[in-house]
Amino acid sequence: MIPVSEPLLGERALTYVQEAVNSGWVSSDGRFITEFERIWAEYCGVRHGVAVCNGTIALELAVQALGLEPGSEIIMPSLTIISCALAVIEAGCVPVLVDCEPDSWCMDMAQVAAKITPRTRAIMPVHMYGHPVDMAPLLELAERHGLAIVEDAAEAHGAEYHGRRAGGLGTLGCFSFYANKIITTGEGGMVVTDDDALAERMRSLRNLCFRRDRRFLHTELGHNYRMTNLQAAIGVAQVERIEDHLQRKRRMAALYQARLGDLPQLALPVERPGVRNVYWMYGVVLDDSVPFDAVEFAQRLRGRGVDTRPFFLGMHEQPVLHDRGLFVGERYPVTERLARRGLYLPSGLPLTEEQIDTVAVAVREVLS
């Protein structure tokens, strides 16, 4: 079975972890935490990085740090992971959805303005599967209405929008370093920002709101959202290799394009002018002429030794959110179509050209 994703770890990661172990700093202090935060923030073009235990917590911490009043609205795409909606709900706010673009699979900027109300306080763009959201109109909207932008860049490490890196474009940028991400720490996440006050606020919130003047006197409730020095050691080694990782992803996409680009039954990923798609996962969407859906497509590919994953199911179709009275009766047709007809093919960093050939043959067999 060709796996859908595997991490690529090198000897330097093992060396750094051993250094952390030998130092005795294995929890949430140590040189690798500081270094990881510094080099990742610098890579994203901002001043501050706040490392946390996973990407979901990065989103929760970012929204909480904004200090929004209960009932405030945050606009986001329906096509995303439930972590986005969870972060908004956990902060006592209300998620408001828009549909996505049929080719980039990112939130449809044309719909965002219509969803702004007097209660809107932020917008949460999600850079989908490695392709950046069209940020220029969003930034203009946010400035005009005084809104914060919380970027979900979990899938877009190194992606660029007109020369600026995803995650460093908004008020706050959130990253996941899960095992299938371009940069991994096993589990882990980070929020980056240029805002000094927000960075300080997040450092306090992630560490139980210990006071500087008296550690165990608490005047505010925080959380234990910390990353360990062991995880950060892996992260530092990974950032040192990021350009190699990005080249691998883009070469993989080129190989898939060359082998599948002539199939009228498939829509392949795009790269809009002015952006750098990092192809975190190589997604494909079945044409409506194909007489089966993505679930059947995945089963047939698995029977030929190829593992896949489905696209996200829209937030407006999640029963757990309906139970909270959210999105009942709402329809987002592009999201619904992508959820039913989209999946991504094996895209792990160690994937070989021979394995891509095998995947392409299996796809062609199934679609023939």
Side-chain angles (χ1 to χ4, degrees):
M1 184 68 63
I2 299 176
V4 73
S5 183
E6 288 181 301
L8 183 64
L9 302 172
E11 289 297 317
R12 187 67 63 85
L14 185 60
T15 299
Y16 287 170
V17 169
Q18 188 63 59
E19 181 183 331
V21 170
N22 291 342
S23 74
W25 294 100
V26 297
S27 293
S28 55
D29 282 316
R31 87 165 185 91
F32 290 109
I33 290 283
T34 303
E35 180 67 2
F36 188 31
E37 291 178 332
R38 183 190 68 79
I39 61 175
W40 190 246
E42 184 179 274
Y43 182 80
C44 295
V46 297
R47 292 197 302 272
H48 303 286
V50 181
V52 292
C53 50
N54 59 61
T56 298
I57 290 303
L59 288 164
E60 291 190 20
L61 184 64
V63 175
Q64 187 174 354
L66 293 173
L68 303 178
E69 296 179 358
S72 297
E73 294 176 351
I74 298 180
I75 300 171
M76 67 178 61
S78 184
L79 187 71
T80 187
I81 193 167
I82 201 167
S83 302
C84 296
L86 176 63
V88 174
I89 293 167
E90 287 290 311
C93 298
V94 180
V96 175
L97 303 181
V98 297
D99 210 346
C100 59
E101 298 171 332
D103 57 348
S104 74
W105 312 328
C106 295
M107 68 191 303
D108 187 343
M109 288 298 102
Q111 297 187 18
V112 175
K115 291 295 183 84
I116 295 175
T117 75
R119 296 182 298 278
T120 306
R121 295 293 179 270
I123 305 172
M124 184 182 288
V126 181
H127 304 299
M128 188 61 62
Y129 300 148
H131 192 290
V133 171
D134 185 10
M135 293 292 291
L138 188 149
L139 291 167
E140 190 276 329
L141 265 179
E143 182 176 4
R144 180 158 28 110
H145 293 276
L147 307 176
I149 296 180
V150 180
E151 291 178 76
D152 181 349
E155 301 167 358
H157 303 177
E160 295 180 3
Y161 181 82
H162 295 280
R164 297 177 64 190
R165 291 204 169 106
L169 293 154
T171 314
L172 298 146
C174 302
F175 291 91
S176 165
F177 302 120
Y178 183 63
N180 63 8
K181 298 303 189 291
I182 293 173
I183 293 299
T184 183
T185 58
E187 287 280 3
M190 194 179 299
V191 187
V192 299
T193 185
D194 253 341
D195 190 301
D196 297 344
L198 284 176
E200 185 65 22
R201 175 77 176 143
M202 290 188 293
R203 291 188 182 108
S204 177
L205 287 169
R206 75 165 173 189
N207 195 30
L208 298 171
C209 288
F210 287 126
R211 289 174 53 131
R212 291 182 180 273
D213 57 341
R214 187 174 176 184
R215 181 176 179 83
F216 294 113
L217 174 67
H218 296 274
T219 51
E220 189 174 8
L221 291 176
H223 310 275
N224 180 356
Y225 287 165
R226 301 179 298 243
M227 175 184 281
T228 71
N229 199 42
L230 295 175
Q231 292 169 298
I234 298 172
V236 170
Q238 289 273 288
V239 177
E240 291 175 356
R241 298 186 61 180
I242 188 168
E243 288 308 317
D244 171 67
H245 289 191
L246 295 175
Q247 288 174 15
R248 285 171 178 265
K249 288 288 189 182
R250 289 181 61 83
R251 179 173 181 270
M252 188 185 311
L255 291 171
Y256 272 130
Q257 174 68 38
R259 286 151 178 77
L260 302 176
D262 64 325
L263 292 175
Q265 303 99 317
L266 286 183
L268 305 182
V270 301
E271 185 174 61
R272 293 270 185 85
V275 309
R276 184 195 198 193
N277 190 344
V278 293
Y279 303 99
W280 168 65
M281 291 292 172
Y282 196 82
V284 298
V285 179
L286 293 170
D287 186 77
D288 291 338
S289 63
V290 177
F292 48 81
D293 63 10
V295 174
E296 178 66 20
F297 191 27
Q299 291 173 347
R300 296 187 187 192
L301 288 174
R302 188 168 183 82
R304 289 166 170 78
V306 175
D307 197 14
T308 64
R309 290 291 183 276
F311 277 16
F312 295 125
L313 182 66
M315 293 301 97
H316 70 289
E317 296 192 283
Q318 299 290 347
V320 68
L321 300 180
H322 290 173
D323 291 344
R324 291 174 169 266
L326 293 169
F327 319 134
V328 178
E330 295 185 21
R331 297 292 306 277
Y332 299 96
V334 178
T335 295
E336 291 166 17
R337 181 177 182 276
L338 293 174
R340 287 154 178 74
R341 305 197 70 78
L343 56 72
Y344 49 83
L345 301 172
S347 306
L349 286 166
L351 197 69
T352 66
E353 185 169 352
E354 182 181 11
Q355 288 175 313
I356 291 173
D357 288 339
T358 301
V359 174
V361 168
V363 169
R364 285 181 171 275
E365 288 177 352
V366 171
L367 293 179
S368 67

